[in-house]
Amino acid sequence: MNKFEIRTQKKKKAVVHAALKLFKEKGFVQVSIKDIAAESGVSSVSLYNYFESKEGIVKECANVLMQNTLQMAEEIMNQDIDFKDKIIQIMDICADQDYQLLGSPGAVEDHVLSSLYSENTNKIRIQMLQELIELAKKEGAIHSSVSLETVLELLNAIGTIQLSWAKSGNYKEKMAEMNRLLLFGLIGNG
């Protein structure tokens, strides 16, 4: 990369970091491009050149969060630990990453933010889940007769429930309960 490209990447990272911070503090609706520009030290004109709109910034925030999630999940998948421990750790990471953006004031009610985030994370999330499900089948943690489609539909339903929990102060506790229910069922010993 030349100096211009390096400078541009630094500015984009500063914008994403500032946007995540501001969205978490104030919510998506209350944050303007000018606010993000001021917080990041990048001009509004440059912001529009890099991302085209506030929605473009959200897309990039979602991409950065999911790339971080994917990297952490891959590290866990490569560890020599029980599959149930892997899945619990990965689900916790996914919930934490989602909460960074969707846990902000007004984020859940903001359908634009929620749909932009979901739209931009689903592709990466599905890739990660496919790898995890194949590993689970290989290790015998998920029965081989259960289709990928069914597992994804279940997880999608859980994601919808998660959105309603993001408003509450007990998000992490609710996710821990859901993880236990998902992994061990109603009658399991988890």
Side-chain angles (χ1 to χ4, degrees), residues 71-181:
Q71 181 181 358
M72 290 185 280
E74 285 177 359
E75 289 171 9
I76 291 169
M77 284 174 35
N78 291 326
Q79 291 179 7
D80 188 24
I81 58 176
D82 183 64
F83 180 78
K84 289 178 184 174
D85 292 332
K86 287 180 187 182
I87 191 82
I88 289 171
Q89 288 180 35
I90 290 171
M91 290 173 84
D92 285 344
I93 289 169
C94 289
D96 285 343
Q97 292 296 325
D98 288 348
Y99 192 72
Q100 283 189 43
L101 192 56
L102 297 178
S104 64
V108 175
E109 294 83 9
D110 187 326
H111 298 292
V112 174
L113 176 62
S114 295
S115 65
L116 281 170
Y117 181 77
S118 295
E119 176 184 314
N120 287 283
T121 59
N122 279 345
K123 216 183 296 181
I124 297 170
R125 190 180 306 269
I126 288 170
Q127 172 194 344
M128 181 175 58
L129 290 171
Q130 286 175 325
E131 291 176 23
L132 195 57
I133 291 164
E134 290 306 316
L135 178 63
K137 286 181 175 185
K138 188 176 177 181
E139 292 187 14
I142 294 177
H143 195 276
S144 60
S145 67
V146 177
S147 72
L148 174 64
E149 181 180 89
T150 301
V151 175
L152 293 176
E153 287 170 349
L154 173 64
L155 294 175
N156 188 40
I158 291 169
T160 302
I161 294 168
Q162 272 183 279
L163 287 176
S164 69
W165 292 340
K167 292 186 249 186
S168 69
N170 62 348
Y171 178 82
K172 285 190 171 259
E173 293 84 13
K174 288 289 213 178
M175 279 308 302
E177 286 179 32
M178 179 61 79
N179 289 345
R180 283 191 300 278
L181 182 60

Side-chain angles (χ1 to χ4, degrees), residues 27-46:
F28 177 75
V29 175
Q30 301 302 319
V31 175
S32 68
I33 289 287
K34 286 183 181 180
D35 295 333
I36 297 170
E39 181 71 28
S40 66
V42 176
S43 74
S44 295
V45 172
S46 292

Side-chain angles (χ1 to χ4, degrees), residues 12-68:
K12 284 182 175 182
K13 283 182 183 178
V15 168
V16 168
H17 179 73
L20 286 170
K21 178 180 182 265
L22 291 171
F23 292 153
K24 185 147 182 83
E25 291 172 0
K26 300 179 183 180
F28 177 75
V29 175
Q30 301 302 319
V31 175
S32 68
I33 289 287
K34 286 183 181 180
D35 295 333
I36 297 170
E39 181 71 28
S40 66
V42 176
S43 74
S44 295
V45 172
S46 292
L47 264 161
Y48 281 109
N49 285 335
Y50 298 148
F51 302 103
E52 295 181 14
S53 64
K54 189 163 84 167
E55 288 77 12
I57 295 171
V58 170
K59 288 178 183 180
E60 186 58 26
C61 288
N63 186 45
V64 166
L65 290 174
M66 282 311 295
Q67 290 300 329
N68 290 344

